[in-house]
Amino acid sequence: MAKAYRICTILLRLMAMAAVIAAAVVMATSHETTTYFNLTLKADFTQTPSFKFFLIANCIAALYSLLALFASWTFIPPRWVMVFDVMIAMLLTSAMAAALAIAQIGKKGNQHAGWLPICDQVPKYCNHVMGALISGFVGLLFYTIIVFYTISTELNPLLSGNK
Amino acid sequence: MAKAYRICTILLRLMAMAAVIAAAVVMATSHETTTYFNLTLKADFTQTPSFKFFLIANCIAALYSLLALFASWTFIPPRWVMVFDVMIAMLLTSAMAAALAIAQIGKKGNQHAGWLPICDQVPKYCNHVMGALISGFVGLLFYTIIVFYTISTELNPLLSGNK
């Protein structure tokens, strides 16, 4: 039972790590330059604080996933891994929500505030950001599964006693 | 020890409930009508999907806080309360991040996307939203403390054994 739990956790962490690395790379490479009425427009993730936060959060999650993989064998007590897992899941949730809120304005605009959608002008950039958000969402999903799986198993004496 | 834990949890839940109720009420009452170059502008939280999500998330958290207060005495097993606590903390995190991302655009704008700040036109509305965000942040803070406090105590046999 404890061995199956360990293998399952390692697999989940590896998949979460792959997803957050992909999200960070896709967001970091999202840019587009277009000409609009003789004006050159450059869209780049660095122009939006929420996208920068998304990139930083996914990089932190990737680094932590790597550390947690080794922590499960070595020196960090399980309860600390659980605390950090929750912290990373909350960090990814906030990054995802902030980026999604801005992406929604970029796609649909907000006519009440006079904010026009920009995705018609820079569709490649928007698709790139969308790809990063999808990958980030998958990473967040894996982290949510890790958190709830860890909670349920840490409270199960059969599993936690054998680790 | 178990009694002190119970009292502490109840106090934290009551404070979290007060904060999320305040956040929901302040957001729900945020609106302003102003005249700008012979145009009547009406700013309202319903015009922004992220602010609507913020209100709904805080209402859910308020309702859950009330249920969890009774759950700690009665029928719901502690591990389920812990799972729900994490879910509510993640929900509040996402609502907070999404609302904050939009509020930042409302306050500072985004010159690259051509989105102008609106807080100069509707300062009362902006201050109201800011109040809701501060209250929401306090609620989220209490929920984060509840989650980490529950994790640390649930894994402590001295406390969890006596509940």
Side-chain angles (χ1 to χ4, degrees):
Chain A
M1 276 290 274
K3 199 181 171 187
Y5 162 79
R6 207 176 291 173
I7 291 168
C8 211
T9 311
I10 290 169
L11 280 176
L12 279 169
R13 284 194 193 283
L14 281 173
M15 287 188 288
M17 188 164 68
V20 292
I21 288 174
V25 169
V26 176
M27 182 57 90
T29 54
S30 63
H31 58 87
E32 188 179 357
T33 307
T34 188
T35 310
Y36 190 66
F37 288 123
N38 289 331
L39 276 171
T40 303
L41 291 176
K42 197 190 166 211
D44 194 292
F45 81 97
T46 57
Q47 295 167 350
T48 310
S50 297
F51 292 168
K52 282 197 275 187
F53 174 50
F54 180 88
L55 176 66
I56 294 166
N58 278 279
C59 285
I60 292 172
L63 190 67
Y64 168 73
S65 303
L66 192 70
L67 290 174
L69 271 176
F70 296 104
S72 60
W73 281 300
T74 55
F75 55 92
I76 302 178
R79 91 170 61 180
W80 280 104
V81 174
M82 195 160 143
V83 168
F84 286 127
D85 281 345
V86 174
M87 282 168 78
I88 293 291
M90 284 174 78
L91 179 73
L92 286 178
T93 305
S94 61
M96 190 69 208
L100 210 59
I102 300 299
Q104 196 266 347
I105 299 284
K107 188 87 179 166
K108 304 268 180 190
N110 187 320
Q111 56 165 338
H112 305 284
W115 300 333
L116 297 173
I118 59 157
C119 283
D120 294 337
Q121 279 80 51
V122 280
K124 207 181 117 199
Y125 170 69
C126 277
N127 290 338
H128 226 88
V129 169
M130 188 61 74
L133 292 183
I134 292 169
S135 197
F137 181 75
V138 174
L140 172 59
L141 201 67
F142 280 126
Y143 256 98
T144 311
I145 296 170
I146 289 170
V147 164
F148 292 126
Y149 186 56
T150 316
I151 287 176
S152 64
T153 47
E154 282 302 324
L155 293 176
N156 185 343
L158 267 177
L159 292 166
S160 54
N162 291 331
K163 266 188 295 182
Chain B
M1 277 293 273
K3 200 181 172 187
Y5 162 80
R6 207 176 290 171
I7 291 169
C8 210
T9 311
I10 290 169
L11 280 177
L12 280 169
R13 284 194 193 284
L14 281 174
M15 286 187 287
M17 188 164 68
V20 293
I21 288 174
V25 170
V26 176
M27 182 59 89
T29 54
S30 63
H31 58 85
E32 188 179 358
T33 308
T34 186
T35 310
Y36 190 67
F37 288 124
N38 288 330
L39 276 171
T40 302
L41 290 176
K42 197 189 166 214
D44 195 290
F45 82 96
T46 57
Q47 295 167 349
T48 310
S50 297
F51 292 167
K52 282 197 275 186
F53 174 50
F54 180 88
L55 176 66
I56 294 166
N58 277 279
C59 286
I60 292 172
L63 190 68
Y64 167 73
S65 304
L66 192 70
L67 291 174
L69 271 176
F70 296 104
S72 60
W73 281 301
T74 55
F75 54 91
I76 303 177
R79 89 170 64 180
W80 281 104
V81 175
M82 196 161 145
V83 168
F84 285 128
D85 280 346
V86 173
M87 282 169 77
I88 292 292
M90 284 173 78
L91 179 72
L92 286 177
T93 305
S94 62
M96 190 69 209
L100 211 58
I102 299 301
Q104 196 266 346
I105 299 283
K107 188 87 178 167
K108 304 267 181 190
N110 187 319
Q111 56 165 336
H112 306 285
W115 300 334
L116 297 174
I118 60 156
C119 284
D120 295 335
Q121 279 80 52
V122 281
K124 206 181 118 198
Y125 170 68
C126 277
N127 289 338
H128 226 87
V129 169
M130 187 62 74
L133 292 182
I134 291 168
S135 197
F137 181 76
V138 173
L140 172 60
L141 201 67
F142 279 126
Y143 256 98
T144 311
I145 296 170
I146 289 171
V147 165
F148 293 125
Y149 186 57
T150 316
I151 287 177
S152 64
T153 47
E154 281 303 323
L155 294 175
N156 185 343
L158 267 177
L159 292 166
S160 54
N162 292 332
K163 267 189 297 187

